[in-house]
Amino acid sequence: MLITCSECGLQVSDKAFICPHCGYPMKPEIISKTNRISTNKRKRLPNGFGQISEIKKRNLRKPFRAMVTVGKTDTGRPISKPLQPISYFATYNEAYSALVEYNKNPYDLSRTITVRELYEKWMEEYLPTISESAAYAVKRAWKYCSNVYDMRAVDIRVRHVKGCMEYGHLPDSDAFPSARTKNDIKTLFNQMFDYALEYELVEKNYARSFTLSDELIEEITTTKNSHIPFTAEEMELLWKNVNEIKDIDMILIQSYSGWRPQELSLIKLSEIDFEQWIFVGGMKTAAGKNRKVPIHTKIRELIKRRCEEARMLNSEYLFNTVLKKSGKIRHYTYALYQKRFAEIKQILNLDTNHRPHDGRKHFVTMAKKYHVDEYAIKYIVGHKITDITEKTYTKRELSWLQEEIEKIQ
C-alpha cells in the first residue's frame, strides 16, 4: 500500500522506514539513532527529477547547481536548464530539497520557459497525432520563427507573431514566407499557445487575438487555385537552356513525372530503379505515398546526371546543392526549390504567375492532351481513385503505366 510522505508529498510504501525520495523518517519510533541515515549522505535522484552537479576547483560558497528537465532531444537525451529563481546551493541535499519542491509543480518554470522549449514540449504531444504532410508544414513554419526562439513564452505578443509572418526567413535564405506559409505560422502559434494555456505556462494566447487580413486570405485562395501549365514556347526555352542554367532540369523532370516539389526534393538514390526505369516517392495522402512513377524517356539522361552528381557529393538524395556561404552539401527542400524556380523564371522571362507546383500541373495537362488513361494519371500523380472496381479489383502493371506516360510528347 502506498502512503504520502508528509515532507515531500510523494508516494511511499507503508512498509518503508524512511522516504526514498527525501530521506524523511516514516517510522521514527523504530529507527534507532545509530541507524539513522547521515544527513550528509547524498540522496538518489529519481528519473526525470533533474540534475545536481558540483562545481569543483573553484572556491564557491554554494557549489551545487540544480538543473531541471524541460524536454528531450531528437535522440532522447534530456534537455536541462537551471532551476529558478535559485539554482546554486551550499550542500547537495539542499539542492535536492529544492528539486523536490519544484517537482511538486513542474510548471513553476513557466516564467522562464522559452518559445523553443515550449515548441519542443508541444510537439512531443502534437506530432504523433498528425499526418506526415501536416508535420512537414508545421516544421517548415517553425523554421521561419528563429527570431523568437530564445524569447520567454510569457513575453510573446501579437507583434512577435506578425513579425515572424512578415519578416521571418529560413536559414541560409533571404526568402520571406509565402501567403500559405504565413497562414501556417499563424496556425502554429495558435495551437502551440493553446497548449501553453492548458498547462498554465502563459496567461493569454495572443496569437488568437488577431485574424488574417482579407488581402492575405484572398492571396492564399488565389495562389491555391491558380496553377498554370507551361506554354509550348516556355517548354522549348527550358529545354534550350537545360545545360546552361542550373536546376532547370528539376522543372523538366517534374513536368514529365508529376511530382510535387517537396516530393521531388526527397527522392533518394535507393528509390530509383534503372532496370525498370521507375522512381518511388510521394507524401501527403495514402494514395500519394510510396507510389511508383515511370521515368519518361525524355528525362532519363537528366536523372542519370543527377545520380552521378549525388554520388560525387556522397549524398543519398537525388537533388542536392552546395551552400555558397558555408560550402555545406544539402539536399533540396521546398524552400530552396521555390527560390531557384523564382530565379529561373526571372532569367528566362517566363510568365510571372508561374509557381513551383506548375510542373505538376503541366504534366496533368499534357497527359490529358495526349489521351493518357484517366486512371494512369491518378496512379502517377497520387490522386485518390474512387471507382471501387478500379481501386479494389484491377491490378495495374508497371509496363502499362510506362506505355501510358510515353504518350506525352
Side-chain angles (χ1 to χ4, degrees):
M1 177 179 175
L2 295 176
I3 59 175
T4 301
C5 174
S6 59
E7 178 67 19
C8 67
L10 299 178
Q11 297 294 299
V12 185
S13 169
D14 62 347
K15 295 182 173 55
F17 292 108
I18 61 170
C19 174
H21 305 294
C22 65
Y24 184 77
M26 304 300 293
K27 298 180 180 180
E29 70 280 3
I30 298 178
I31 304 175
S32 67
K33 292 183 179 181
T34 57
N35 289 331
R36 288 184 186 272
I37 295 179
S38 170
T39 56
N40 293 324
K41 184 175 181 180
R42 296 186 177 181
K43 305 176 183 70
R44 182 180 179 183
L45 284 170
N47 291 335
F49 236 56
Q51 303 174 16
I52 299 175
S53 57
E54 182 178 2
I55 311 300
K56 299 180 178 180
K57 297 183 179 180
R58 292 176 60 187
N59 188 21
L60 299 176
R61 289 191 305 108
K62 297 181 178 181
F64 293 92
R65 181 176 63 183
M67 306 282 286
V68 295
T69 303
V70 297
K72 292 183 179 180
T73 65
D74 293 338
T75 58
R77 298 190 64 180
I79 300 172
S80 301
K81 69 177 300 177
L83 176 67
Q84 297 294 334
I86 300 173
S87 55
Y88 287 87
F89 301 88
T91 66
Y92 179 94
N93 285 350
E94 285 180 12
Y96 182 93
S97 297
L99 282 178
V100 169
E101 287 300 315
Y102 163 75
N103 279 283
K104 289 180 182 178
N105 180 12
Y107 292 102
D108 282 345
L109 195 63
S110 62
R111 303 304 301 178
T112 58
I113 188 171
T114 66
V115 177
R116 189 200 306 270
E117 293 162 349
L118 172 60
Y119 171 80
E120 291 167 350
K121 282 179 173 290
W122 168 64
M123 283 294 277
E124 283 184 10
E125 293 190 14
Y126 183 60
L127 191 59
T129 68
I130 57 177
S131 66
E132 183 180 346
S133 59
Y136 174 85
V138 171
K139 292 176 181 178
R140 187 167 183 276
W142 172 246
K143 291 180 180 179
Y144 282 95
C145 305
S146 58
N147 287 340
V148 301
Y149 283 174
D150 297 321
M151 285 185 62
R152 298 192 312 169
V154 294
D155 293 334
I156 290 294
R157 297 293 184 268
V158 171
R159 65 181 182 276
H160 300 119
V161 181
K162 287 186 174 181
C164 293
M165 294 169 62
E166 295 297 329
Y167 307 111
H169 59 85
L170 298 175
D172 303 310
S173 172
D174 296 326
F176 293 117
S178 65
R180 179 52 60 91
T181 302
K182 289 177 183 178
N183 181 61
D184 290 341
I185 293 172
K186 173 72 161 61
T187 302
L188 162 67
F189 276 93
N190 284 349
Q191 296 176 337
M192 182 166 64
F193 276 83
D194 281 347
Y195 170 89
L197 267 178
E198 180 184 352
Y199 287 98
E200 300 180 3
L201 297 174
V202 296
E203 295 180 357
K204 182 178 180 179
N205 183 352
Y206 285 92
R208 292 197 181 275
S209 299
F210 71 98
T211 57
L212 299 178
S213 66
D214 293 339
E215 293 79 6
L216 183 58
I217 293 174
E218 183 179 355
E219 185 181 355
I220 293 171
T221 304
T222 302
T223 56
K224 181 179 181 181
N225 300 314
S226 63
H227 296 301
I228 56 176
F230 298 107
T231 64
E233 292 77 16
E234 287 175 328
M235 287 300 292
E236 184 179 352
L237 195 58
L238 289 169
W239 277 112
K240 182 179 178 180
N241 289 277
V242 68
N243 296 320
E244 306 298 326
I245 301 175
K246 180 176 171 56
D247 295 331
I248 283 183
D249 61 331
M250 292 187 70
I251 300 175
L252 292 169
I253 291 171
Q254 184 191 30
S255 299
Y256 281 88
S257 60
W259 294 110
R260 298 179 179 90
Q262 58 266 48
E263 293 175 332
L264 196 65
S265 66
L266 293 174
I267 291 176
K268 296 182 178 180
L269 300 187
S270 59
E271 296 167 331
I272 303 174
D273 185 338
F274 287 105
E275 291 185 4
Q276 299 188 77
W277 285 106
I278 59 170
F279 39 1
V280 182
M283 56 188 297
K284 194 169 185 178
T285 65
K289 291 180 180 179
N290 299 318
R291 66 183 189 273
K292 298 177 180 179
V293 175
I295 301 176
H296 196 287
T297 51
K298 283 198 172 185
I299 59 172
R300 289 181 180 180
E301 287 302 316
L302 302 182
I303 297 292
K304 282 183 178 180
R305 188 188 306 173
R306 280 287 184 170
C307 283
E308 291 172 1
E309 181 185 278
R311 293 189 184 101
M312 288 178 61
L313 295 174
N314 198 29
S315 172
E316 62 178 325
Y317 292 93
L318 180 61
F319 297 101
N320 305 276
T321 188
V322 180
L323 301 179
K324 292 181 180 179
K325 293 181 179 180
S326 63
K328 292 182 179 179
I329 298 167
R330 181 177 174 185
H331 76 81
Y332 257 81
T333 61
Y334 180 81
L336 283 173
Y337 184 82
Q338 185 181 40
K339 181 181 179 181
R340 288 296 298 135
F341 186 91
E343 291 171 350
I344 293 168
K345 183 170 63 175
Q346 184 176 10
I347 293 170
L348 297 182
N349 196 29
L350 302 179
D351 188 329
T352 56
N353 292 315
H354 276 307
R355 296 185 296 117
H357 277 75
D358 286 356
R360 178 175 169 86
K361 175 69 174 181
H362 181 85
F363 173 83
V364 174
T365 302
M366 292 298 101
K368 290 181 178 179
K369 176 182 176 180
Y370 290 105
H371 307 292
V372 175
D373 185 272
E374 172 192 355
Y375 294 116
I377 297 174
K378 289 185 176 181
Y379 277 115
I380 292 171
V381 300
H383 284 170
K384 184 178 180 180
I385 296 175
T386 56
D387 182 271
I388 298 298
T389 302
E390 178 68 27
K391 181 179 179 180
T392 308
Y393 301 106
T394 306
K395 183 178 180 181
R396 296 297 188 178
E397 300 292 338
L398 284 173
S399 58
W400 173 72
L401 289 176
Q402 189 75 62
E403 290 173 4
E404 289 299 314
I405 204 172
E406 288 298 327
K407 291 179 181 179
I408 300 173
Q409 300 301 311

